Amino acid sequence: MKSKCIYAATALCMVAVCVALQFSGLGARSVRVHQHLSGAWQRAEAMREDESSLHTHLPILQIDTGGQAVPGAPGPDGVIADDSRIRVSFSLADGQTGDNSPLDLPTVSTHADIRYRGNSSRFFDKKSYSIHLVDENGAEDPQALAGMAAHDEWALNGPFLDRTLLRNYLCLNVAGEIMEYAPNVRYCELYLNGEYQGLYLLMETVSKGEGRIDIPTPQRNSDITSYIVRWDRAGKGSHELDNFSYYTYRSDVSALDLRYPGENQLTEGRLQYVQQDVSRVEKMLYSMDITDADNGLTAELDLASFAQYFVINEFFRNVDAGRFSTFYYRDARGKMKTCVWDFNNACDNYIDYQWDEAGFTMQNAPWFGALLRDERFVDAVVWEYHQLRRGVLSDEYLLNYIDETLLWLGDAIERNFSVWGYVFDLSQYNGMTYLTPVERNATSHAQAVEQLKRFIVERGAWLDAHIETLYQYCSDSKNVNLLAR
C-alpha cells in the first residue's frame, strides 16, 4: 500500500510539472545576459587619462560610408524612393575592460551593406539601421558582436521617440526571461563618418541561426520546410502569402511575409508549402475546430508561447503586436511559436494617439481574437499573468530594473542628449517626431522616465483588476454569436 501511495504521489508530481512546463515554456530557454548586470561592461575603476577622445564602458560602433548617402530615407512627399543598400566599413571596439575608445584597435572589423530601417522611425532625425555584415567580396560574414552569437544580420536601433532610451532594452530583456527566444540587445555608442551619433541599441534580428531561432535547414529536393513568417503592413514584404486570413479579409491592413527560407533556399514548392500550412492552421483557428482535443489549438500551436506573447505585449501595451512587427516560426517537426519584436511604441508611446493604462488590444489582432475563443488559451494567459506578476512583471522588479539601467548608463545619457536634446524643447514640436497632442511629450529625460514608471504601475494595477475579464471572449454565447455571423 505504501509503495502504491509513493507511485501515485510521484505520478501526480510529474503531471503537475508537465502542466507547469506547458504553461511556462521552461526548459529550452537559454540564460539571458542583461548587459547592465554583466561584469563585462561595468565601468573601469580608472579610465585612461586621454582627453582627446571619448572613453566609455559601452561598446563603440563605427560606420564609414565613404561619402555615400545612406538609402531608405523618405523624400519630401513621404515616399521611400530608394530602399537599396550601400557597402560601408563597419567596426566594433569592445574590449570588455570597462574602458573603450574610438581610437582603440577594433575587436571586429569588416564590411556591411546598410540602409535605414523602420516605418515611422525613418522620419526621425536619429535614424535606425539595417546591417548585413559581409566580407570584402560581398559574401556573408557572420560576426559575434558584444557577446551575442555570430550572425550576419543585425539591427541598430536609435531610440528617439522613446525619450527614456529604455523601452526596447527593458521589454526585450524581460521577454527573454519569459519566452524561449527573444532577440538579445546591447547598448553601444555610434560614430557615423567620424561624427558622434549618441546612444544606440544593437539588436539581433528575428532570423534563423544558432543562438537565434534554431530551426533546421530544409532537406535538398524537399518542399517541406521549417519557416519564419512576419505580420506587417500589406505590400511591405518580399514574399507575402496568399493565406486564409488574408484572402478572407481577416487580416485588416496586415499581411504575412515569408522571412525564412531566404532567397538562397526558397523554391516555389516551399513557398506553397508554407502558405498551405499557415492556411490550414488559420482555418482551424477561425472555426469551431479550434476546441478539438486532437486536431485543434493545442495540436498546432505552442500554447505557452502564444500565451506569453499575449501577456508581455498586453502588459507593456504594445498596441502594434499581433498585427505589425509580429513573428511566428515553426519547426516542421513541431508546433507554431511566437517571437517578440519592437517595443518603441509601447507604454503609451504611440505617436498618433494615447493608449492609457486601461483596456486590452490583442483581441483585435489577427489570430489572437480567434485564440481567445478557446478557454484553454484564456486559462494559459491568466495563469502566465499571475505567475509573472510575482516575478519579472512585478512593480518592484521593473522599477528597480529601470533605476539600475539608468545608473549603469551614466554619462552616456548626457552624451546622447548633447546631440538629440532638442527634443525636450516643445517649441520644436511637429507631428512626425513628437507625440500627439503636444502635452504628452516630456520636457526632460527625468520626466520621460517618470512617465514610463507611472504607466507601468498603473497598467499593472489595471490588469490585476481586469485580467479575468478575458473569459468573456470564450463564453458560449460569444462563440455562438460569432458562428452565426
Side-chain angles (χ1 to χ4, degrees), residues 113-132:
D113 293 337
I114 71 167
R115 60 168 173 78
Y116 294 132
R117 66 169 305 277
N119 290 305
S120 58
S121 61
R122 296 202 196 201
F123 291 88
F124 300 160
D125 295 342
K126 186 180 183 181
K127 303 296 188 188
S128 295
Y129 300 86
S130 174
I131 297 174
H132 179 206

Side-chain angles (χ1 to χ4, degrees), residues 218-246:
Q219 294 182 355
R220 185 186 298 272
N221 300 324
S222 174
D223 291 338
I224 298 174
T225 181
S226 302
Y227 58 86
I228 303 172
V229 292
R230 171 175 172 163
W231 279 113
D232 220 312
R233 291 162 180 81
K236 182 180 176 181
S238 301
H239 300 287
E240 291 186 353
L241 304 183
D242 187 24
N243 52 300
F244 175 78
S245 67
Y246 183 77

Side-chain angles (χ1 to χ4, degrees), residues 50-95:
D50 174 12
E51 297 181 358
S52 64
S53 68
L54 167 71
H55 286 269
T56 176
H57 58 299
L58 301 177
I60 297 176
L61 272 178
Q62 298 198 62
I63 295 174
D64 188 339
T65 69
Q68 305 170 89
V70 179
D77 56 359
V79 176
I80 300 170
D82 181 11
D83 210 20
S84 62
R85 294 176 183 264
I86 58 169
R87 181 74 44 82
V88 302
S89 297
F90 177 97
S91 67
L92 174 72
D94 181 31

Side-chain angles (χ1 to χ4, degrees), residues 375-435:
E375 188 173 359
R376 293 171 297 177
F377 180 70
V378 179
D379 283 341
V381 167
V382 172
W383 188 91
E384 288 281 358
Y385 178 79
H386 288 307
Q387 295 300 309
L388 295 171
R389 277 292 277 168
R390 300 186 186 103
V392 295
L393 291 186
S394 68
D395 292 349
E396 179 182 9
Y397 180 89
L398 293 172
L399 299 183
N400 185 60
Y401 196 100
I402 290 171
D403 288 340
E404 287 182 339
T405 302
L406 293 175
L407 181 64
W408 171 78
L409 284 172
D411 295 343
I413 297 171
E414 183 178 346
R415 286 194 293 272
N416 179 82
F417 288 117
S418 71
V419 180
W420 308 108
Y422 63 84
V423 295
F424 297 122
D425 179 2
L426 300 191
S427 69
Q428 304 291 319
Y429 174 81
N430 63 77
M432 298 305 297
T433 57
Y434 288 78
L435 302 177

